[in-house]
Amino acid sequence: CGQSDPPCDFVQVAPSPDRNRLIAIRTTPGAAEGSSALYFMDLSRSVETIIFPSRRVLAADYSPDASFVIFSAIAAQTTQEDLFYSQPNGTAEENLTQSLTVQERNPRIDPFARTVAFERLDESGVSRIYLYSNTALTSGPATGPALPDTPYVVGADASPVISPDGLR
């Protein structure tokens, strides 16, 4: 797709534990403005399958046992980001958060697939780190003004990462 006009662009990749497969978020030529599709790629067989072609998928993570993926996307008929579960091939999709006033994004699955850390952005622009489903890990008011051209305010927390041992 890099040869198309306009070319596609990879936004994020999440490899499977065996590193032979991955899910990728990338732009697609001809898609609606702001769209980014979720792809499944089997690197060992050079196979690429588009899972969700016309959605705005923003972040994704592969489970440690390669049995499922968690991703954030704009929910249908809304402008809010929610967390979704699906099999790596896109089947069994389920909206996990279904929020109307907050946005959940940037999910990260712990190494034992017991929980997911994610960013939760409220309507005031304050973002905090949560554990699924509704346990806040960070708290307190943001400490400054809105950051230009972003949905964030100074002091907000974003983009969690779980340690390899799953303890932090």
Side-chain angles (χ1 to χ4, degrees):
C1 76
Q3 302 301 317
S4 33
D5 186 29
C8 70
D9 196 11
F10 283 89
V11 178
Q12 180 190 23
V13 297
S16 68
D18 65 8
R19 304 292 197 229
N20 289 324
R21 295 163 288 161
L22 60 88
I23 52 173
I25 301 167
R26 75 175 203 208
T27 61
T28 304
E33 177 101 15
S35 289
S36 48
L38 188 62
Y39 286 78
F40 171 80
M41 298 176 182
D42 186 329
L43 304 174
S44 65
R45 298 182 304 138
S46 297
V47 173
E48 177 181 289
T49 305
I50 189 167
I51 300 173
F52 300 115
S54 56
R55 304 242 333 249
R56 189 163 178 219
V57 179
L58 303 156
D61 201 15
Y62 226 116
S63 69
D65 64 358
S67 65
F68 66 93
V69 297
I70 301 287
F71 62 96
S72 61
I74 304 293
Q77 284 91 36
T78 74
T79 59
Q80 296 297 109
E81 292 176 55
D82 283 335
L83 298 183
F84 292 84
Y85 163 96
S86 84
Q87 302 297 311
N89 65 3
T91 60
E93 180 187 357
E94 180 183 346
N95 186 329
L96 298 174
T97 52
Q98 299 181 17
S99 304
L100 296 177
T101 60
V102 297
Q103 300 194 57
E104 294 91 4
R105 54 173 59 158
N106 297 319
R108 294 294 172 255
I109 303 168
D110 84 285
F112 306 104
R114 296 175 302 202
T115 192
V116 173
F118 64 96
E119 173 186 333
R120 186 173 186 205
L121 181 68
D122 68 24
E123 58 276 355
S124 70
V126 175
S127 182
R128 294 182 177 86
I129 305 303
Y130 274 70
L131 284 179
Y132 184 77
S133 82
N134 201 19
T135 303
L137 294 181
T138 59
S139 63
T143 58
L147 294 169
D149 301 318
T150 75
Y152 298 105
V153 295
V154 173
D157 299 313
S159 299
V161 176
I162 298 176
S163 66
D165 63 6
L167 299 175
R168 295 173 290 284

